Amino acid sequence: MKKFLFVDLDDTLFQTPKKCLSETELQPAAYLKDGKPCSYTTPRQRAFFDFAQNGMTLIPATARNADAFRRVDLPFSSYTVLDYGGIVLQPGGALDSIWLAQMQGDMQVALPGLIDAMRVIDDFQNKLGRPARARLIEDFATPFYIVIKDHEAVAERLAEIEREVLLPWIAGPGPGSDFFIHRNGNNLAVLPKTLNKARAVAHLRATLEAEHGPILTFGMGDSASDARFMAACDYAIVPNGTQLAGLTLAAL
């Protein structure tokens, strides 16, 4: 039986230097647009990657868009899930056009709500005199979600936006009920409920079962938003010291 590991990337297989200050023997794994390294693997992460590759096919399931994924220096060779599940690439990098057509229809329905979420965030930021603004994230000419990062990486400011603006917006009478919030580190994102890695993983699982017959699947991720796609797999792997570990393992 063939085995597949659907795996998140950032903070799962590698992370920024400030998140591994106590580690030694770091190696670059992802780069900025100017070619400078921005994320690194630890010896244990490299050992896990080698271990996983020895018995499983690794399929990235990441929030990164196509450009950011191209700047990841890890040897993947199968399918790829990008943009929180909005994009699926086939082995070799060709676009899964059937999946894209389905997501484009869903995202056009979601676009007015995304624009409204940007408005309420930016109005709040303007009122407080803060420079950070929400950005609409697009890939392959398709809008997917919005994100805001604090200009000084102050986590409490993002928590305040979530608490004071977005939670009431989601609970209100407008379009917010069709969206959910993901906050981890200096990232606060608003995503349509129709956009999630679990849908893309289910799509690929059906594709892989059609190709290979019964398969065994594993899901691995660091954040609360990864839990849904991990739950769509037969087994879940949670890196210690991550947001998801704190919500599950540390709570026991």
Side-chain angles (χ1 to χ4, degrees):
M1 184 178 292
K2 286 190 173 293
K3 305 173 185 66
F4 296 88
L5 172 61
F6 293 92
V7 58
D8 179 58
L9 298 180
D10 294 83
D11 295 327
T12 298
L13 292 183
F14 52 76
Q15 59 283 309
T16 59
K18 68 179 181 180
K19 294 183 180 180
C20 47
L21 294 175
S22 62
E23 299 284 351
T24 59
E25 300 181 51
L26 299 177
Q27 292 184 7
Y31 298 82
L32 300 172
K33 291 183 178 181
D34 62 7
K36 295 179 181 177
C38 60
S39 294
Y40 297 80
T41 59
T42 66
R44 284 187 298 278
Q45 286 171 325
R46 294 192 295 275
F48 175 83
F49 191 88
D50 292 342
F51 162 78
Q53 274 202 317
N54 191 42
M56 296 183 278
T57 299
L58 272 63
I59 298 178
T62 178
R64 286 175 173 254
N65 62 19
D67 178 62
F69 179 70
R70 281 191 290 267
R71 292 184 268 111
V72 172
D73 187 19
L74 290 175
F76 298 110
S77 59
S78 184
Y79 291 91
T80 302
V81 175
L82 303 175
D83 296 290
Y84 282 108
I87 294 294
V88 170
L89 301 181
Q90 298 173 346
L95 188 65
D96 184 330
S97 57
I98 294 176
W99 182 250
L100 178 61
Q102 180 176 337
M103 293 307 301
Q104 283 178 328
D106 291 341
M107 295 304 101
Q108 284 305 311
V109 172
L111 182 57
L114 291 173
I115 293 173
D116 193 53
M118 292 177 67
R119 176 189 60 78
V120 298
I121 292 172
D122 290 350
D123 286 350
F124 182 75
Q125 292 289 89
N126 276 326
K127 182 176 68 174
L128 296 179
R130 296 174 183 169
R133 295 292 181 269
R135 295 185 294 117
L136 180 65
I137 304 301
E138 302 179 81
D139 207 10
F140 293 93
T142 305
F144 285 116
Y145 61 97
I146 64 169
V147 66
I148 183 169
K149 299 174 183 282
D150 185 70
H151 64 292
E152 294 176 328
V154 178
E156 177 52 36
R157 291 174 184 160
L158 296 183
E160 185 181 13
I161 294 172
E162 179 180 9
R163 182 177 64 251
E164 301 295 330
V165 177
L166 292 177
L167 288 177
W169 179 76
I170 285 176
S177 61
D178 293 327
F179 295 81
F180 70 98
I181 302 165
H182 169 59
R183 179 166 60 88
N184 194 4
N186 194 36
N187 289 278
L188 175 60
V190 179
L191 301 91
K193 290 181 178 178
T194 49
L195 177 69
N196 64 73
K197 296 177 185 179
R199 288 185 70 194
V201 167
H203 167 73
L204 278 182
R205 182 166 184 162
T207 300
L208 292 167
E209 287 174 338
E211 293 175 0
H212 304 289
I215 60 174
L216 182 63
T217 59
F218 300 79
M220 182 176 181
D222 71 285
S223 71
S225 65
D226 292 324
R228 290 184 298 172
F229 91 80
M230 294 164 65
C233 300
D234 296 305
Y235 291 89
I237 303 172
V238 181
N240 198 14
T242 61
Q243 182 189 55
L244 188 53
L247 293 172
T248 54
L249 305 179
L252 297 176

